């Protein structure tokens, strides 16, 4: 008998699950039906800042697969369809067709909740003023682009997390004056330790960003229906556009209303096969919590890299396999202008709460000292004092720096000690690194006492 898989949410996690299951099982075994409330499937939110910046001219290039392409692959993906209720006993969903206003009821044998995350939107005066927006969807990016085309010249970015930093770069490149406001004392506060964040702070200011830290946004002021200024605890900033980048929380209300439980983190609870505690219900992506491989704790890390893998795990298991999602390290990269940033594992403070740790950093280079284009690369390493096991690393530097974090990520993933990484056989040639690559050099210097 043909089983039916219903997917709620048609982006990274949901459509990865759908595509993987379809690859493993034919239509006579599994019918795959996905509902997406927005106008597009499988779009790369990660690329949105680069459309705003003008590097990706056509925003439709950010779409990996359209509903028509899914249909050709044997997957029915219905856009403008919002799932409004889940019944886990009757195994049905109620779906609102947002164009016609009609409601359909569809049955399922296996349900995949891939509803993503909801952007934080503070309840501040004037938040609904025209000109105040998020950057979450292609439509958001197109709207921001249009505001610039129509003459916006002054922008306030609310939040100096990675989205805020990327948006600030994009807006600067478009010629706007940019103010970034954050309540924290440093940019990328959730990503970087203070000494590493200081490098980002310095670069943002030197590129002309008016960076206002320890500063709260208090409201948005309009005139003739359009944004005029942003009120902050450090005064009023005139603005034509304000972009909210305050972070996200798992979008779980639909699942929770149906009795699918969330953990203390706010993310849906899943096992390592991405199955929820409710029979026949799977979940993946920004809406779930994951296990942190260093601490063993549950965490919510809303990144596309996990959403794709978790969706694949769901699809494999639905297709008869036994795939496992092994957890996360919080590895992430971003950039501000030509300054590249990466982090993985634990920051110094997080690590100190749990263990007796050693923390140190070195200033290395992206290429050999004499090779054209060489730039400084700052590398921080955190390891456990008793056994040398690596717990975290952060990198900030010129082009070629960010992806160096991946060597640390693999080392931490495999429980390597700092002294082993210091002698690891990493590549070297002058256009790519000094003879002591920044990764091995940082491990050798910071873990020097263990090297013998
Ligand atoms: C500006 C920006 C830059 C980013 N950059 C990076 C990056 O560089 N690297 C990285 O790893 N990650 C990045 N991310 C994060 C990444 O985009 C997300 O982690 C990823 O999209 C999560 O995929 P998802 O499928 O879990 O959720 P989403 O992409 O949020 O998809 C969930 C989908 O479900 C739909 N939906 C929700 N509820 C319903 C419902 N009831 N019925 C029907 N449909 C519903 C939503 O409309 C949405 O399309 C970035 C995100 C943004 C916004």
């Amino acid at each position: 008998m043909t089983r039916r898989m219903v997917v709620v949410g048609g982006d990274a996690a949901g459509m990865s699950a759908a595509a993987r299951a379809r690859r493993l099982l034919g239509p006579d075994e599994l019918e795959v039906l996905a509902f997406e409330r927005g106008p597009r499937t499988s779009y790369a939110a990660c690329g949105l800042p680069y459309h705003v910046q003008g590097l990706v001219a056509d925003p439709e290039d950010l779409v990996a697969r359209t509903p028509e392409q899914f249909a050709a692959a044997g997957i029915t993906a219905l856009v403008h369809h919002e799932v409004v209720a889940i019944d886990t006993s009757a195994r049905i969903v109620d779906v609102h067709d947002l164009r016609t206003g009609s409601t359909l009821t569809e049955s399922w044998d296996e349900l995949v909740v891939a509803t993503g995350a909801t952007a934080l939107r503070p309840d501040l005066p004037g938040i609904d003023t025209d000109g105040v927006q998020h950057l979450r969807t292609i439509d958001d990016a197109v709207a921001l682009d249009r505001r610039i085309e129509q003459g916006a010249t002054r922008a306030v970015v609310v939040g100096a997390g990675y989205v805020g930093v990327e948006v600030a770069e994009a807006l600067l490149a478009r010629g706007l004056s940019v103010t970034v406001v954050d309540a924290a004392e440093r940019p990328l506060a959730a990503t970087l330790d203070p000494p590493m964040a200081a490098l980002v702070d310095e670069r943002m200011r030197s590129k002309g960003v008016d960076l206002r830290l320890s500063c709260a946004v208090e409201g948005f002021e309009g005139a003739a229906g359009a944004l005029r200024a942003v009120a902050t605890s450090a005064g009023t900033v005139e603005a034509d556009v304000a972009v909210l980048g305050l972070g996200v929380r798992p979008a779980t209300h639909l699942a929770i209303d149906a009795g699918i439980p969330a953990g203390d983190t706010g993310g849906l609870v899943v096992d390592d096969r991405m199955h929820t505690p409710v029979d026949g219900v799977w979940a993946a992506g920004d809406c779930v919590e994951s296990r942190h491989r260093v601490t063993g704790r549950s965490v919510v890390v809303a990144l596309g890299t996990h959403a794709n893998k978790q969706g694949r795990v769901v699809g494999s298991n639905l297709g008869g396999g036994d795939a496992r999602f092994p957890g996360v390290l919080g590895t992430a990269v971003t950039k501000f202008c030509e300054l590249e940033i990466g982090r993985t594992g634990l920051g110094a403070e997080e690590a100190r709460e749990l263990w007796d740790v050693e923390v140190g950093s070195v200033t290395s280079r992206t290429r050999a000292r004499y090779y054209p284009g060489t730039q400084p690369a700052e590398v921080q390493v955190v390891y456990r004092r008793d056994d040398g096991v690596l717990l975290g690393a952060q990198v900030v530097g010129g082009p070629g720096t960010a992806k160096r974090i991946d060597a640390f990520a693999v080392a931490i993933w495999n429980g390597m000690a700092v002294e082993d990484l210091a002698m690891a056989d990493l590549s070297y040639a002058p256009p790519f690194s000094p003879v002591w690559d920044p990764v091995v050099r940082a491990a050798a210097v910071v873990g020097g006492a263990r090297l013998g």
Side-chain angles (χ1 to χ4, degrees):
M1 214 179 77
T2 310
R3 289 186 302 142
R4 186 186 239 202
M5 167 184 185
V6 163
V7 178
V8 189
D11 196 22
M15 298 319 289
S16 294
R20 178 69 182 155
R22 174 79 303 147
R23 218 166 287 137
L24 296 173
L25 296 177
D28 49 331
E29 289 179 286
L30 188 73
E31 182 190 349
V32 184
L33 176 57
F35 296 108
E36 166 55 50
R37 68 177 170 206
R40 297 175 185 84
T41 50
S42 290
Y43 52 94
C46 315
L48 299 175
Y50 308 108
H51 170 63
V52 175
Q53 189 163 343
L55 297 173
V56 181
D58 183 353
E60 299 305 327
D61 285 349
L62 301 176
V63 177
R65 261 172 129 185
T66 62
E68 294 72 30
Q69 289 168 319
F70 280 114
I75 294 166
T76 304
L78 300 179
V79 291
H80 301 292
H81 279 70
E82 180 170 16
V83 175
V84 291
I86 299 169
D87 184 332
T88 60
S89 309
R91 297 205 173 200
I92 52 173
V93 286
D94 290 336
V95 188
H96 211 155
D97 181 334
L98 299 172
R99 281 167 309 185
T100 65
S102 61
T103 299
L104 10 155
T105 298
E106 296 287 349
S107 64
W108 48 269
D109 299 295
E110 309 283 351
L111 182 74
V112 182
V113 180
T115 43
T118 306
L120 299 179
R121 187 176 175 84
D123 189 16
L124 290 172
I127 186 96
D128 294 323
T129 307
D130 186 33
V132 182
Q133 67 159 97
H134 285 109
L135 185 63
R136 298 276 308 156
T137 64
I138 288 181
D139 288 349
D140 291 339
V142 169
L144 183 51
D145 182 51
R146 193 176 308 125
R147 291 183 207 285
I148 298 167
E149 290 294 317
Q150 288 173 351
T153 57
R154 302 160 304 177
V156 170
V157 178
V158 185
Y162 80 89
V163 170
V165 164
E166 290 174 8
V167 172
E169 174 184 349
L171 295 173
L172 277 182
R174 294 290 297 274
L176 280 77
S177 69
V178 180
T179 302
V180 176
V181 181
D182 199 300
E185 290 173 350
R186 58 185 194 271
L188 297 171
T191 305
L192 295 180
D193 286 329
M196 305 299 278
L199 301 171
V200 181
D201 179 311
E202 196 181 292
R203 186 63 62 96
M204 289 179 81
R205 293 182 199 276
S206 76
K207 288 286 177 184
V209 172
D210 176 5
L211 183 59
R212 300 188 178 200
L213 300 169
S214 305
C215 176
V217 169
E218 295 174 340
F220 301 90
E221 296 166 10
L227 184 69
R228 192 191 60 81
V230 179
T232 78
S233 56
T236 299
V237 185
E238 293 192 351
D240 309 307
V241 61
V243 183
L244 304 174
L246 290 163
V248 297
R249 61 180 156 72
T252 52
H253 69 275
L254 179 71
I256 290 173
D257 287 353
I260 302 162
D264 291 342
T265 62
L268 297 178
V269 174
V270 286
D271 61 19
D272 59 358
R273 301 181 78 239
M274 305 309 296
H275 193 266
T276 73
V278 178
D279 190 33
V281 181
W282 308 77
D286 285 1
C287 61
V288 305
E289 60 180 25
S290 304
R291 187 180 64 87
H292 197 289
R293 283 177 66 96
V294 175
T295 63
R297 292 176 176 167
S298 295
V299 289
V300 168
V301 180
L303 286 176
T305 174
H306 308 312
N308 279 283
K309 292 184 190 109
Q310 292 173 342
R312 187 184 198 279
V313 167
V314 170
S316 293
N317 291 328
L318 279 177
D322 184 22
R324 313 270 162 168
F325 183 72
V328 303
L329 291 177
T331 309
V333 288
T334 186
K335 69 187 269 291
F336 175 76
C337 299
E338 51 301 317
L339 192 72
E340 297 189 357
I341 299 145
R343 57 99 62 219
T344 188
L346 304 184
E349 282 318 307
E350 290 171 284
R352 280 192 190 107
E353 281 170 19
L354 296 170
W355 291 289
D356 180 17
V357 301
E358 198 70 57
V359 180
S361 63
V362 298
T363 306
S364 180
R365 304 204 69 85
T366 54
R367 298 169 170 182
R369 178 188 43 77
Y370 51 81
Y371 194 89
T374 184
Q375 294 268 331
E378 193 73 14
V379 184
Q380 176 186 280
V381 180
V382 182
Y383 67 90
R384 212 155 48 196
R385 205 188 293 263
D386 62 350
D387 57 7
V389 164
L390 287 157
L391 301 173
Q394 298 180 1
V395 296
V396 176
T401 298
K403 289 294 275 178
R404 291 200 140 99
I405 204 66
D406 289 340
F408 285 109
V410 172
I412 296 171
W413 189 270
N414 289 298
M416 265 175 95
V418 66
E419 62 268 29
D420 296 330
L421 185 60
M423 287 294 153
D425 181 8
L426 301 192
S427 58
Y428 157 65
F432 306 104
S433 73
V435 67
W436 283 82
D437 177 272
V439 173
V440 289
R441 174 142 188 271
V445 171
V446 181
R450 300 185 59 86
L451 270 177

